[in-house]
Amino acid sequence: MSEEFFANILDQIKPYTSHINLHVKGEPLLHPKLERFLDLSFEKGFQVNITTNGTLIRRMQEKLLRKPALRQINFSLHSFDGNDDGMSRDSYIEDILAFTVEALKQPKLLIAFRFWNLSESPADDLAIRRNDELLSAIEKALGLPYKIRDEVLPDRGIKLADRLYLNQAHRFEWPDLGTKEYPAAGFCHGLRNQAGILVDGTVLPCCLDSEGIINLGNIHTTPFGEIIESPRAKAIFDGFSRKEAVEELCRKCGYRKRFG
């Protein structure tokens, strides 16, 4: 995404929100103009939340910590198992904890550690063993007088320190037209509390539709305000108001089950 396009997006969404999230199934720390994007966000009055796998946090630490637009960083610690750049687990968590210690010296910055990899099967304890290695490192670094695993519950969070949180959740099925369909009854925050914009300008109901299947329109050719008031967008919103998923992709989204 270019700087000019990003600035245009901020102008178009300004009437609707003061918060943006830099992620749609991508790694924001890879963007060569991330610093400039954060500066633009601050200039235009936005607070920024970043979700990252954390593998580049050492390289980006000083650049991020001096950006006043940054509100929260979510570290998807469960994603380490998908990392193939040769980084060791020890180095990985050490870099993230070093950043966290410095970040918590900032007056307002929030940090959240995510473990969204629990299994529904008690017999599948591989994720638990891997999580425990990282949890032990967190406990040691923070000097916690308890075991995090004894305090946190599945699909719940825990406050580890002021402005530092940890939450865990079960794995979910990413929405895919080729997978099974869940019951249509249910709820989602798509187009109620969130929307997504892809690098090509496609507007989506949420960040899980990274392929742009529910294409509501393109912000290059249609104003954002018109797109989210379109008949298709309104049908999605009204459907979830009735606790009903009207889009096929939404009916095939495992994440939606979290909302009942």
Side-chain angles (χ1 to χ4, degrees), residues 22-23 45 60 66 69 100 110-111 115 153 159 184 194 202 208 230 247:
L22 297 184
H23 73 94
M60 296 295 296
R66 60 173 180 250
T100 298
L110 303 171
I111 303 293
F115 290 89
L153 298 173
K159 184 175 182 179
Q194 63 192 33
T202 301
L208 296 185
S230 67
E247 290 279 346

Side-chain angles (χ1 to χ4, degrees), residues 186-203:
F187 179 76
C188 179
H189 293 280
L191 293 179
R192 191 173 305 271
N193 296 330
Q194 63 192 33
I197 301 174
L198 295 181
V199 66
D200 67 355
T202 301
V203 177

Side-chain angles (χ1 to χ4, degrees), residues 47-119:
Q47 296 184 68
V48 180
N49 306 312
I50 287 178
T51 298
T52 172
N53 63 27
T55 56
L56 300 176
I57 198 63
R58 177 187 289 273
R59 182 190 311 173
M60 296 295 296
Q61 177 167 319
E62 295 305 318
K63 297 175 182 178
L64 291 173
L65 290 179
R66 60 173 180 250
K67 298 301 180 183
L70 193 57
R71 172 186 173 271
Q72 178 168 335
I73 298 186
N74 304 309
F75 288 105
S76 297
L77 299 184
H78 52 267
S79 66
F80 178 79
D81 292 329
N83 173 48
D84 60 0
D85 67 357
M87 174 180 282
S88 72
R89 186 177 293 271
D90 288 343
S91 296
Y92 173 68
I93 194 63
E94 285 171 7
D95 288 353
I96 290 174
L97 289 170
F99 174 87
T100 298
V101 169
E102 293 304 312
L104 294 180
K105 296 177 183 177
Q106 304 288 321
K108 297 180 180 179
L109 186 58
L110 303 171
I111 303 293
F113 298 147
R114 289 180 174 178
F115 290 89
W116 288 8
N117 60 348
L118 299 183
S119 173

Side-chain angles (χ1 to χ4, degrees), residues 221-237:
T221 56
T222 308
F224 179 78
E226 291 184 19
I227 292 173
I228 60 172
E229 291 294 334
S230 67
R232 189 177 186 183
K234 289 177 71 68
I236 294 170
F237 181 95

